Structures are given as C-alpha cells and as structure tokens.
Amino acid sequence: MKSSISIMMAIAVCASSSSMLVHAQAPTSGHTATLVDSTVFIHGGLGADGNPTNAAYSIRLGEGGAFKGSNVLDITKLAGFSTRALHSSVLSNQAMMVNCGGFDAVPATAHKMSCDIFNPIKYTSTTMNMTAFLVNSRGGMAVAVSPDKAFYFGGSLTSATGAPGGFSTDTNLIKLDAGLGWRSDIAMPVATRYHTATWIQSIKSFVILGGQIEAGTAVAMNVATTFSGVTWSTRPIAGDPVSARFGHTAVQDDNGNIYIYGGQTAVNMAPLNDVYVLNTAAPTWAWKKIAVPTAEPRAFHASVLLNDNTILHTFGQAGPGQDSVVKKVSLFNTVAGTWSPAEDLPLATIATESPIKGTGISNNPKDPKFQHPGNDPSGGEEKSGKGGVIGGAIGGIAAVALLVAGFIFYRKRQARRHSNGSVAAGPYSKHSASASGQIGGAGRSSLHLEDGDKSKLGRSFTIRQPAPAYVDDNSVQDLKHARPYDDGGYNGNQYNDRSAGGYGGEPAVIEYELTDTSGHRYEPGSVAERKRYVEEQQRQLMNG
C-alpha cells in the first residue's frame, strides 16, 4: 500500500511542479481519441473556425479505468504532434500511438500520409515521413487493426465533394510488429470517406459501415461491406431501420457487438442522436435500436471503449456547421444500456513534462522496472513496504550466492585445464588462428575432425548469437552491445544491416557484430581474442 501511495505521490508532485496553468479545452471535431491502458489521448481536429489544430490532451482515467475521477492534461506543446484533422490513430505492437494522414490546411489538403509516433511514457512524438510511391495522401479514411496490421480504407484528397474531392478507393496497410512503412492492398469497390471500419475476429474480416460517396450522399446502413484481406463482399443487415450516415462512430465491445452513434445524413444537416448495436456473433445480422432519449446530436466526434465497458464520446459537431463544435463528453454503459448526459471535460492542466517522469519507472522492456506505455504506474496492485524490503534482501543474498558459486566453478575449471598439461601453446597460439580470422573457414577445416569428434565439438563450443538489445533512442549508438537485428527503419534508425538477412525486425545471422556512430561494423579486440581462444580450445580438445 505504501509503495503504491508513494508512486502516486511522486506523479502528483511531478505534475504539480511541471504544470502551472489550467485552462479549458478548445472544441474540435474530426479529432482522434485513443485508449492506451488507463489513459485516453486526444489529438488534432477542426476548430470552430474550420482550421486544423495540433491540440492534444491526456485523460488519465479514475479507479477501475472509469471516467469518473479522471484528470486532464494539456500536452499540446509537450507532445509536439503535427497539425491534423480527420486523421486516424492506432497502437503499434510496442504500444506506441501511430497517428497518420488527415488534413493539415484549409481548404483541407491531405497530409502526405506522414505519421506521428507518440510515446505514451515520455509524452513526446516523432513525425515520420512515410510517403511512398502509389500511396495517395488523404484524410477521412477508416482504419481498423487486425492482429498484426492496421488497414486504412478510402478517404479523399481534399474536404470537397465531387471530382475536386478526389475520393479514393485505396486500401493501404502498415505492419504493427516491425518497421512502419506503407503497403498497398486490394482497392475498395466504391470510393468512400467518413465511414467506419471494424475488425471482427470471429469472421476474420473487416466490417465497413456507412460513409459518404463522391456525389456527397450518405451510404445506406442496411448492408455492410466486408473485407477478408483477400476478397471484398457485402452482407445484408436486417432489424430496426437505420438512417444512411457518415461522420458517425463505431465501437466494438469484447463480445463482438458494434455500437454506432450519431453522424449526418447529408451535408449541412443536423447530426443524428441515435444509438444502435449490431451483434456480429449472430448467424443473421440485425440492427437493434437502443432507447437513449438523452443522447445528444453529434457528428465527426471520436469514441473509445474504456476498461469499465463504457464508451466515451468526445467533442464533435452538435449542429449542421463547423461552428457548432463542442468540448463536451458523454458516456454510454454497454452493460446497463444507460446514457450519461454530456458534460464539459474537466479543466486541463498544462504539462511541461511527462507525469510518469521521476517515478523510477523504466521504459526498457528488459528492465525489471519496465512500465508498459500508458499503464498505471501504481502497478494496479498494492504492495507493502515491508514486503519490498524483505524481497530486496532475499534477492541480494541470492545474487551474492550465485556470484560465489560462479567464481568457485570458474577456478575449478581453470585448475582442470592447467592440470592436463594441454595449454602449452597458450590461448593466443599462432596455430589457433584461421586464415580468415573467423571461427570456421580454414582454421576449422584444418583440424580434420571425425564424426564423433564433430558432435562433441559442437556440444562443447557453440557460440550463440547475442540477444537483441532494446533500443529506445537510435540517436545514441551503444558500442558495447551487438545489434543483431533490423528494425525496418523504425524511428528513423539509420544503422540497420540487411546483409545478413535481417528484415522487418527479424533476427539477422551476424554474430558479435557491432556498429559505430557512422554505421560501420566495429569489432573490438576482445571479440577477436574470444574467437582465437575458442579455436585454441577446439585444437586442445582434438589433441586429447
């Protein structure tokens, strides 16, 4: 309990020392809202004047992941996001937020498909210029995430309708488990924007609902367009009648139910305030209207499912025009089927540093103090201070015991080696060096090993490839650790080596390879000496 309290106090002190100004949020529409563990991050959107913004807020949720008791930070300057509206946001497999595309000017023009990579621990972002050949820049896309890829469907080049809008049928994707980069996939049947996409695991397909087509009309909701990753098809939806719409939201719960809310039936029309649910696990799909008379009209808002099974609806357009944008949020409880009326988001404190900074939490996955991006630094469990002290003492004793045992083992092994009289030439004998300077090649073939000896040799002197080192900041190269993998250029890394087969984050086969700050291989003497030492051990083994 004391441990949890102390960490939370550290965060509070840090927040109070680094954040002095408190102010209200600016209302927007066409923004994104993304949940990272117990924090919702809001980014971008169109203001009341119709201009895109780079405004960003974090909503740290209350107990149990509920909106009640949450606190809000204005992280606009700290995060350094690009100016975007009607863009998209997903999480990579490393829990980094990836915000791509959208419009960045008025009249709205596409953002060249660049992406902001946001670190939810450091609260900072890096813009990656991911422009690729044949990948059209656009906003108003629908995005959904399959197990390892994010798919981006449709969109338009500008916010205009008709031919000037440049409506798109494009389907693009990025891999979330490796270096980010655009790839193209099978195009949509009809050019669409302002639609929604949801990945349904039970049918292993994306479900596309609603949207606006080039003529400016809304797409009917009595049919869903599905994409399996191989083929496009349609699926009828029966049940309660649902108006055609665009600019709505679609949120999926853990049971495969899709909840839609709001949207517009046409340009300059008042937004809708209805809520429907679609059970995708049923053999026949059918809309069911949920009676929520207190729901407010909304369009181009952003919605996200929280950890307590409520859907948080943020900001959006409350009337026909952009000047009707609001800064209110509302909640829908998917379990009870109840609606909490809209209210203003709590005042935001301007943050100048991450609230996680200074808590002793590490962002290195191999560190015992690693904190998964966005997690509650309290760890979600209460631990007593006494237990921590006892555990630390036991761990220290165990570590000392292991060191002593290792030293004894080392001395005994050295004694055995010297007692058999087989180290006459020493580990640096010229007879042990191969012509290539590497293990194998001329040095190994000159031993003329028999089959049984080869097996014994393989068991005794296998040199294993070092484990990949966690790289948090590629601007500083670590000359003490090998870099045996390629991260696909993620985070602007210029020190990859594909020559050994490493691609897209897969391990390469280079052993003991190091690089200097210019990207050249760096082989210190200790590595070369280790190779010669092993060869000498092989020679001694073969001699008896």
Side-chain angles (χ1 to χ4, degrees):
M1 182 65 180
K2 293 180 180 178
S3 177
S4 296
I5 292 176
S6 63
I7 292 178
M8 295 306 294
M9 288 179 63
I11 294 176
V13 170
C14 179
S16 64
S17 64
S18 62
S19 313
M20 296 178 289
L21 300 179
V22 178
H23 73 133
Q25 302 78 23
T28 57
S29 66
H31 56 285
T32 56
T34 310
L35 176 68
V36 185
D37 292 321
S38 60
T39 303
V40 175
F41 294 94
I42 295 175
H43 167 222
L46 297 169
D49 58 1
N51 290 310
T53 178
N54 72 333
Y57 307 96
S58 67
I59 306 174
R60 190 172 184 80
L61 301 174
E63 184 178 355
F67 180 74
K68 182 180 180 180
S70 58
N71 74 72
V72 183
L73 293 178
D74 183 332
I75 60 172
T76 303
K77 291 184 177 180
L78 178 61
F81 280 115
S82 302
T83 297
R84 298 181 190 272
L86 297 164
H87 53 295
S88 60
S89 179
V90 298
L91 287 180
S92 73
N93 288 7
Q94 294 78 30
M96 305 289 267
M97 207 162 73
V98 183
N99 294 4
C100 299
F103 301 132
D104 63 354
V106 174
T109 54
H111 214 293
K112 299 182 179 179
M113 299 302 278
S114 66
C115 295
D116 292 328
I117 313 301
F118 177 74
N119 186 320
I121 286 181
K122 295 182 176 180
Y123 278 48
T124 57
S125 67
T126 301
T127 300
M128 294 182 62
N129 183 3
M130 296 168 56
T131 303
F133 182 64
L134 296 181
V135 176
N136 293 316
S137 304
R138 57 199 192 275
M141 301 176 288
V143 62
V145 176
S146 67
D148 61 346
K149 301 180 183 69
F151 281 75
Y152 300 78
F153 303 100
S156 62
L157 301 182
T158 76
S159 58
T161 56
F167 280 60
S168 175
T169 61
D170 289 357
T171 298
N172 299 113
L173 64 93
I174 57 176
K175 294 184 67 177
L176 299 175
D177 58 352
L180 301 177
W182 289 112
R183 297 167 173 82
S184 296
D185 212 295
I186 303 172
M188 297 180 66
V190 178
T192 311
R193 70 179 181 187
Y194 308 153
H195 46 309
T196 61
T198 310
W199 169 260
I200 304 298
Q201 182 63 33
S202 60
I203 62 173
K204 291 183 171 54
S205 293
F206 296 94
V207 176
I208 314 296
L209 295 169
Q212 184 187 49
I213 59 175
E214 191 171 15
T217 56
V219 175
M221 298 289 287
N222 61 355
V223 62
T225 302
T226 62
F227 179 57
S228 66
V230 179
T231 58
W232 286 92
S233 59
T234 58
R235 183 162 180 169
I237 307 177
D240 296 333
V242 182
S243 301
R245 66 191 64 204
F246 57 85
H248 58 289
T249 56
V251 176
Q252 180 187 187
D253 67 11
D254 295 335
N255 299 316
N257 296 310
I258 299 177
Y259 295 86
I260 65 165
Y261 165 52
Q264 285 182 302
T265 57
V267 177
N268 295 324
M269 292 292 291
L272 300 164
N273 70 337
D274 47 5
V275 178
Y276 291 85
V277 61
L278 174 64
N279 181 8
T280 61
T284 300
W285 285 7
W287 286 115
K288 179 182 178 182
K289 186 172 184 177
I290 300 175
V292 283
T294 58
E296 304 81 12
R298 286 290 183 274
F300 296 102
H301 50 295
S303 305
V304 60
L305 182 70
L306 304 184
N307 298 327
D308 65 347
N309 293 314
T310 61
I311 299 175
L312 175 66
H313 303 291
T314 63
F315 303 178
Q317 190 174 308
Q322 184 61 35
D323 58 356
S324 67
V325 292
V326 296
K327 57 183 179 181
K328 295 182 178 294
V329 297
S330 54
L331 292 165
F332 174 71
N333 189 313
T334 61
V335 177
T338 55
W339 187 274
S340 299
E343 60 183 45
D344 284 343
L345 196 64
L347 295 178
T349 303
I350 298 177
T352 58
E353 63 181 12
S354 168
I356 298 179
K357 183 178 179 181
T359 61
I361 294 169
S362 170
N363 62 350
N364 184 339
K366 297 189 179 298
D367 191 316
K369 295 182 179 180
F370 169 59
Q371 175 66 55
H372 194 276
N375 273 359
D376 184 350
S378 67
E381 297 180 2
E382 297 183 353
K383 300 179 181 180
S384 69
K386 182 182 293 183
V389 173
I390 294 175
I394 294 175
I397 294 172
V400 172
L402 286 174
L403 287 173
V404 172
F407 178 74
I408 294 173
F409 174 79
Y410 171 78
R411 292 299 301 269
K412 288 184 176 181
R413 183 177 179 184
Q414 289 294 99
R416 285 198 301 269
R417 287 177 178 172
H418 287 277
S419 64
N420 62 20
S422 59
V423 287
Y428 305 111
S429 167
K430 63 181 181 181
H431 301 293
S432 66
S434 65
S436 64
Q438 298 178 347
I439 297 176
R444 177 172 293 179
S445 62
S446 63
L447 296 176
H448 304 291
L449 306 180
E450 301 296 332
D451 290 341
D453 294 331
K454 289 180 181 179
S455 175
K456 185 177 181 182
L457 178 64
R459 289 195 304 271
S460 302
F461 298 103
T462 299
I463 296 182
R464 299 188 182 279
Q465 176 176 310
Y470 175 80
V471 180
D472 177 61
D473 184 356
N474 286 293
S475 64
V476 179
Q477 296 300 309
D478 188 351
L479 298 181
K480 296 182 180 179
H481 298 88
R483 297 280 307 283
Y485 72 98
D486 183 333
D487 65 7
Y490 182 74
N491 236 0
N493 183 12
Q494 302 175 1
Y495 301 94
N496 295 318
D497 189 345
R498 299 178 185 270
S499 63
Y503 180 77
E506 298 175 359
V509 296
I510 297 175
E511 295 183 353
Y512 297 101
E513 177 186 317
L514 288 85
T515 60
D516 60 18
T517 53
S518 301
H520 301 109
R521 294 184 184 180
Y522 175 72
E523 297 187 6
S526 60
V527 176
E529 291 170 2
R530 173 60 180 165
K531 291 178 180 179
R532 290 196 296 270
Y533 175 75
V534 171
E535 289 181 349
E536 175 62 15
Q537 293 287 353
Q538 294 172 354
R539 186 188 66 78
Q540 294 174 11
L541 178 66
M542 294 303 97
N543 290 339

